[in-house]
Amino acid sequence: MNDYYKILGINKNASEEEVKKAFRKLAHQYHPDKKSGDEKKFKEINEAYQILSDKQKRAQYDRFGKVFNAGGGEGWPFGFSAGGGPGFGFEFDPEMFGDFTDVGDIFDAFFEGLGVKQKRRTYRRGSDVEQVVEINLEEAFRSAEKNLKYRVSVRCEKCGGLGHDPKTKFTQCSVCAGRGEIKETRNTFFGSFTQVKTCAKCFGSGQIPEKTCDACRGTGKISGERGVKVEIRPGVSDNQIIQVKGGGEAGERGTEAGDLYIRIKIKPHPVFERRGDDLLVKKEVKLIDLLLGRKIEIPTISGNKLQVEVPADFDLKNNLRIPAEGMPHFGAFGRGDLIVELKIKTPKKLSEKLKNLLENLENETE
């Protein structure tokens, strides 16, 4: 006889929650639809769960080692099939799956990882829209304004987004009898489920207009073009999102529009490399300029030129840091720093005179 506790990998003192947790884990692992699935093992797991998740059946099993069903069978939680052998079924326990709003949530949770494509929910509110705006680093530094135009569903002007003549009369929907919703029963692997859905004919209103708008065919929206002016603030980052409320798809029959999400893309810069709010610039300098303490010219993102003197004892393995010459802090005061990476430029060929000078210099510094 099967040891149900052993099948689920739990001990006899396991709580109801531990039983459910063990079942969920094993059911995911051995479901027949998975590549690594095992139908026989899956049936054993279901059988063990049906017994151990039921207080009465579990008590019988713990006492007698078997369960006696009303139909005369013993040890089988699923009854008998027409052929006389043990039938296969599933007793649905809503607590096991948590507080889901519909059958789709249950299937999404149970078949996670099985490669089943989830269905997209349908909302009456307009869909959100994403647009990409590309700017250069100077625009991210100073700020910019962009006029953006894009194709999207907009509110039907003929009916004002209602989907029907404002003065039209209404009749009761014959499909839902004016309730605005219908019950739909589905037979699934887990059993029969009854789901309450919005009526597709009246869209949940319970009434049908006698005169539907011929421009939008009752939806309250049509295909069109929307334009927005976007202000890009100083210090904006690459891939940063700007939200424009109501800039998305128009909602059906007067409901609110979705939002527009603008993703900022900053082009690579030929001189500066951005590191957060700091900017890195690479500067090639002559060795003689460093030795003589001459100032070097450093470009900035603002377009100015800085004259910087490298300290005599400066370690060239480090970078120079010039405060407050980087990018502005987005939404705050202050700026990042400008980091200067120095690269020594050596002459291709040394003359005898230059060699002698360097040797003399070496002797002086010893």
Side-chain angles (χ1 to χ4, degrees):
M1 185 183 67
N2 292 333
D3 185 336
Y4 294 139
Y5 290 103
K6 187 175 181 181
I7 290 173
L8 293 183
I10 56 177
N11 59 50
K12 290 188 177 182
N13 296 324
S15 65
E16 291 182 12
E17 184 60 33
E18 288 173 327
V19 172
K20 293 174 185 177
K21 186 177 179 180
F23 169 72
R24 287 197 295 262
K25 179 180 177 181
L26 293 171
H28 278 292
Q29 182 178 352
Y30 292 104
H31 193 278
D33 289 346
K34 298 187 70 173
K35 291 182 179 180
S36 60
D38 186 326
E39 184 174 352
K40 183 179 179 181
K41 183 71 174 177
F42 187 69
K43 288 181 180 180
E44 290 180 351
I45 294 165
N46 275 309
E47 180 181 334
Y49 175 72
Q50 292 302 313
I51 297 300
L52 300 183
S53 64
D54 186 290
K55 291 182 179 179
Q56 186 177 354
K57 292 178 181 179
R58 183 174 179 177
Q60 288 185 36
Y61 176 72
D62 289 342
R63 186 175 180 182
F64 303 108
K66 60 181 67 177
V67 177
F68 300 90
N69 291 331
E74 58 183 52
W76 292 97
F78 312 117
F80 288 84
S81 65
F88 179 69
F90 189 94
E91 186 175 317
F92 176 66
D93 181 358
E95 293 184 0
M96 183 186 74
F97 292 95
D99 184 19
F100 293 104
T101 55
D102 56 30
V103 175
D105 285 337
I106 298 170
F107 276 85
D108 289 345
F110 192 81
F111 292 109
E112 180 184 0
L114 297 183
V116 181
K117 186 177 181 181
Q118 295 183 356
K119 293 184 179 180
R120 185 180 177 215
R121 292 178 178 272
T122 302
Y123 297 94
R124 293 185 63 188
R125 173 186 178 274
S127 300
D128 296 331
V129 175
E130 180 179 337
Q131 294 286 315
V132 177
V133 173
E134 193 174 49
I135 62 174
N136 56 43
L137 191 61
E138 283 80 5
E139 289 176 313
F141 170 74
R142 294 189 179 92
S143 78
E145 274 192 0
K146 297 289 182 179
N147 292 313
L148 190 61
K149 291 186 177 181
Y150 51 100
R151 299 291 300 178
V152 73
S153 294
V154 297
R155 189 181 69 168
C156 176
E157 295 298 332
K158 185 174 182 179
C159 65
L162 297 176
H164 56 78
D165 189 324
K167 298 180 180 180
T168 191
K169 295 181 179 180
F170 289 82
T171 58
Q172 180 176 284
C173 178
S174 59
V175 174
C176 65
R179 292 188 295 270
E181 57 186 23
I182 58 174
K183 290 184 178 180
E184 183 180 82
T185 301
R186 297 172 59 187
N187 294 319
T188 71
F189 172 78
F190 300 105
S192 296
F193 295 90
T194 300
Q195 182 183 16
V196 178
K197 297 181 63 177
T198 301
C199 178
K201 186 173 182 179
C202 66
F203 305 100
S205 66
Q207 296 181 314
I208 302 294
E210 292 184 353
K211 187 177 181 182
T212 302
C213 177
D214 55 3
C216 63
R217 298 183 180 180
T219 63
K221 59 181 182 178
I222 59 174
S223 178
E225 185 178 71
R226 195 186 295 275
V228 295
K229 180 180 287 187
V230 184
E231 182 181 353
I232 301 173
R233 297 167 62 187
V236 65
S237 301
D238 188 50
N239 277 324
Q240 188 165 331
I241 301 294
I242 299 174
Q243 182 184 14
V244 180
K245 293 289 291 183
E249 297 270 359
E252 293 185 353
R253 294 161 212 87
T255 53
E256 66 173 328
D259 298 332
L260 170 66
Y261 290 90
I262 300 172
R263 184 181 299 275
I264 302 298
K265 295 295 293 182
I266 301 178
K267 302 175 185 177
H269 198 276
V271 175
F272 300 101
E273 177 186 334
R274 186 170 182 176
R275 295 181 177 178
D277 287 341
D278 293 336
L279 291 176
L280 173 70
V281 61
K282 296 180 181 181
K283 179 66 177 180
E284 191 176 69
V285 294
K286 294 180 180 180
L287 178 60
I288 191 65
D289 290 338
L290 292 177
L291 295 175
L292 295 176
R294 293 173 180 169
K295 292 183 177 180
I296 57 175
E297 188 176 82
I298 305 296
T300 66
I301 187 64
S302 61
N304 297 325
K305 303 287 185 179
L306 298 178
Q307 300 296 323
V308 178
E309 184 176 345
V310 180
D313 59 347
F314 184 75
D315 189 347
L316 295 177
K317 292 181 180 179
N318 299 326
N319 295 328
L320 285 173
R321 182 176 287 269
I322 305 174
E325 286 293 342
M327 296 294 291
H329 300 312
F330 184 79
F333 294 105
R335 291 170 59 181
D337 298 338
L338 179 62
I339 302 170
V340 183
E341 183 179 305
L342 297 174
K343 183 178 179 182
I344 305 300
K345 183 179 181 181
T346 58
K348 294 181 179 180
K349 187 177 181 180
L350 295 178
S351 65
E352 288 298 325
K353 183 178 180 180
L354 182 56
K355 285 181 180 180
N356 293 330
L357 288 172
L358 291 174
E359 289 172 356
N360 293 333
L361 177 64
E362 182 182 18
N363 293 331
E364 290 181 9
T365 56
E366 287 181 350

